[in-house]
Amino acid sequence: MLSVDSTVPGGAPRGFDGFRHGWEGRFGDAFRLPTLSPGTIGDWRVRGRFTRVRDVAAMEVHCASATHSADRPGGDEDQVRMYVVRTGAWRLGGPRGRGERTVPAGQFLLRHVGRQYAFEAAPHTSAQFLVLPSAALVPLLGNRGVTGSADSAEMRLLTAHTNMVHATVADLGPAGLRAAHSTLIELAKAVALRQFDDVEPQLAPALTQAAKDLADSHLTDPELSPVLLARQLNVSVRTLQRAFATTGESVTAHIRHRRLEEARLALTAPYGRLSVSELAAHWQFADSSHFIRAFKKRYGLTPAAYARSTPR
């Protein structure tokens, strides 16, 4: 994985030249760096991480400065690219100046690319990209582009798996790299088809991580449950439970443990600590007694005793 951060003083003393050197050393000719405008090169303030898994490249970019391609980048390519925009917007050119597309925040675009086209992004745009082999996806895409919400069930799984690949690729052996690669391809296919094979064993880690990410954003929601998570991830509850079984923890247990952990952190806050009854209500425990029993079982102390043991 290549990491870069030129947004902080001293983060990238050689600016764009340092980034280009790292890129070429990591990717070689397999994934060419786009031809960028002189203004972009001269004001290069970008942080991100870039990972290669065989013939797939995964990129996560946060642009503090404006980013523009050269007016006529040129160059033939035969790739499928996915653009997932989190903040800002990414504008993409088309053949002979036609077919321009803008991917706004919260959306994705999956399309086949036959050559380099112009693109631009405003300052403070954050986006993720996948470069995928055309042979695996063009039969599904043809000449169409697939767009949709970055929070769709299929995109949640693909994002979760991509983040896991970024975090673990340096430690993966040949078998792990093959599994990571094939899962990236299968999940990209799922995005193209707007459905996935939820009995595919290789998808279990991505499904589990996506469910955990989703649960973290709903911990204070009284409706949070395996049913809610399964519905939002477009799988059956049984499929979700099977995926969690590989971790040795049930879905319900994970939710309870995360709520207890957040309550524990709240007890150590330097100021504005909530009472035990307030914590129980906030983190959706049935009552204070239930919260106290669960907390003591998990951490060996009651919440009050834990709070007293932590200096303000």
Side-chain angles (χ1 to χ4, degrees):
M1 182 176 74
L2 169 66
S3 296
V4 61
D5 188 350
S6 59
T7 64
V8 296
R14 290 184 294 158
F16 179 76
D17 287 340
F19 172 81
R20 179 170 54 194
H21 178 76
W23 178 283
E24 292 173 349
R26 174 65 61 181
F27 294 123
D29 294 330
F31 303 99
R32 290 179 295 172
L33 188 65
T35 305
L36 300 173
S37 68
T40 295
I41 293 172
D43 183 25
W44 183 251
R45 290 176 288 127
V46 171
R47 60 184 174 89
R49 51 183 180 173
F50 309 85
T51 300
R52 177 180 180 179
V53 185
R54 301 172 71 178
D55 56 358
V56 175
M59 310 164 198
E60 182 179 302
V61 177
H62 307 271
C63 304
S65 53
T67 304
H68 297 262
S69 65
D71 290 338
R72 296 180 180 178
D76 292 333
E77 295 180 327
D78 183 20
Q79 300 170 336
V80 169
R81 292 184 186 171
M82 178 177 288
Y83 308 83
V84 187
V85 179
R86 299 299 179 182
T87 62
W90 203 275
R91 189 184 66 80
L92 301 158
R96 301 180 188 89
R98 301 193 311 272
E100 291 187 352
R101 304 286 290 270
T102 296
V103 187
Q107 296 287 303
F108 76 85
L109 168 65
L110 178 67
R111 73 175 185 181
H112 177 239
V113 177
R115 60 182 290 108
Q116 287 190 10
Y117 299 120
F119 66 87
E120 65 178 81
H124 308 297
T125 292
S126 296
Q128 295 168 298
F129 308 96
L130 280 177
V131 181
L132 302 148
S134 61
L137 288 156
V138 166
L140 300 178
L141 291 172
N143 293 323
R144 70 189 177 100
V146 175
T147 63
S149 169
D151 290 328
S152 69
E154 297 79 21
M155 280 302 308
R156 286 184 186 275
L157 264 69
L158 180 55
T159 298
H161 181 66
T162 303
N163 288 337
M164 287 191 292
V165 170
H166 279 305
T168 62
V169 67
D171 300 319
L172 294 178
L177 288 171
R178 285 195 299 273
H181 173 269
S182 61
T183 303
L184 282 167
I185 298 295
E186 289 304 312
L187 288 172
K189 289 180 180 178
V191 172
L193 295 171
R194 302 186 189 277
Q195 62 180 2
F196 55 83
D197 181 1
D198 64 7
V199 300
E200 170 55 58
Q202 287 184 344
L203 303 188
L207 177 56
T208 302
Q209 188 59 51
K212 289 180 176 180
D213 293 343
L214 186 56
D216 270 358
S217 66
H218 287 78
L219 288 177
T220 61
D221 185 348
E223 300 300 320
L224 177 59
S225 67
V227 173
L228 181 145
L229 295 176
R231 183 169 63 246
Q232 293 204 20
L233 293 170
N234 199 26
V235 297
S236 67
V237 174
R238 184 180 178 186
T239 295
L240 183 62
Q241 291 171 334
R242 284 202 307 266
F244 265 81
T246 64
T247 70
E249 181 181 53
S250 70
V251 184
T252 302
H254 174 77
I255 293 171
R256 182 174 64 252
H257 293 162
R258 284 292 297 117
R259 283 172 165 167
L260 285 169
E261 175 63 11
E262 291 299 323
R264 184 190 68 80
L265 293 174
L267 285 167
T268 65
Y271 55 88
R273 294 181 182 178
L274 300 177
S275 67
V276 170
S277 61
E278 288 171 331
L279 284 172
H282 184 74
W283 297 110
Q284 302 303 318
F285 288 88
D287 52 46
S288 296
S289 298
H290 178 75
F291 171 57
I292 292 168
R293 288 195 301 271
F295 192 96
K296 186 174 181 180
K297 182 177 181 181
R298 182 75 172 168
Y299 299 110
L301 293 171
T302 66
Y306 188 89
R308 288 194 299 270
S309 70
T310 305
R312 286 184 182 269

